[in-house]
Amino acid sequence: MKRLFGLVFLLVAAGVVRAEGVIEPGGKWVDDRGELIQAHGGGILQMGDTYYWFGEDRSKDIAKDHRGVACYSSTDLVHWVFRKRVVDSGRPEGVGEHWVLERPKVFHNEKTGKFVMYMHIDGPPAGSSEEGYILARGGVAVSDTVDGEYKMVGTFRPLGEESRDIGGFVDDDGAAYLIFESRPTGGFFIAKLLEDYLSVEKKVCFIKKPLEGGALVHYEGLYYVIGSKLSGWAPNANVYATAERLEGPWSEFKDLAPREAKTYGSQSTFLLKVVGKEKTTVVFMGDLWKPKELWDSRYFWMPVEIGGGRMGVPAPRAWGIEVGSGVVK
């Protein structure tokens, strides 16, 4: 059986296996135009019956000094319509050349009606000849519509700490949180956003575990947090922990998949909770990075096995979901 799964995964990754209405981890995933989906390091926002997928746009046609975020929509999580490039930005103020815009996450603020995007902004300071991840800041952009033009509000260090990989989470009570990695402190923070979502209100907890790619989900009374170890573009064994409260205490971290599988070559970016009429399904969203061809980096989505304080990402295989019922096919 393991050999069969392995063969299927290789065929899918090569773009050989194609099936209507299914998600193929590692497969060639295209939008309504037939173009490769550009939503790397992304996250999903649900508005009514429609899902909006935001992610890094690594298309070859982006201007050399610009960075982009693309937006796609779907009602079934399989077929995606390209809405537009909602961010096509030159360098923010104070940021030097060789800058990066990574891991965009979008929140909808019901009180203000605004859509607020957080992202990791990094690079050397303006005027510096240095290269690398030096500034370690979070960026905030705002739009009046979900697929409109997101205008940069500014960049900052949340809680005064370095901020690299970021994640977003909205709890069942509607409160919104930012997850961000802080390299000097050797862990990551969970911080509650202000009422208008334009900055952080307070620290909820600090988890002293050097992880990036953080994501959260609340499932059957427990919080599950996941993250990727610090190995750059190279895959590693992603891990998870649980707590009854966001403030903790958090359990010891455990592997999401067999350690030798290195999370099947993927890195965590988001946990999507699909609440159906029959079942609630949690989907692990990860990236299969191709650092020399980032535009062709693929996606690893799989429904997780979750409950009772345990979480696991199963071996890759083609799958589908009926979003109305929440049932995985």
Side-chain angles (χ1 to χ4, degrees), residues 174-195:
Y177 299 85
L178 183 70
I179 308 160
F180 63 96
E181 183 230 339
S182 173
R183 201 67 53 95
T185 54
F188 62 97
F189 290 88
I190 300 173
K192 187 177 181 181
L193 297 183
L194 287 170
E195 191 174 2

Side-chain angles (χ1 to χ4, degrees), residues 94-101 120-126 128 130-137 157 164:
V95 181
E97 296 182 15
H98 309 291
W99 68 290
V100 298
L101 184 164
H120 170 212
I121 299 291
D122 220 326
S128 171
E130 297 180 273
E131 294 186 20
Y133 287 58
I134 299 171
L135 290 173
R137 301 176 72 84
R157 283 188 169 181
R164 298 182 188 270

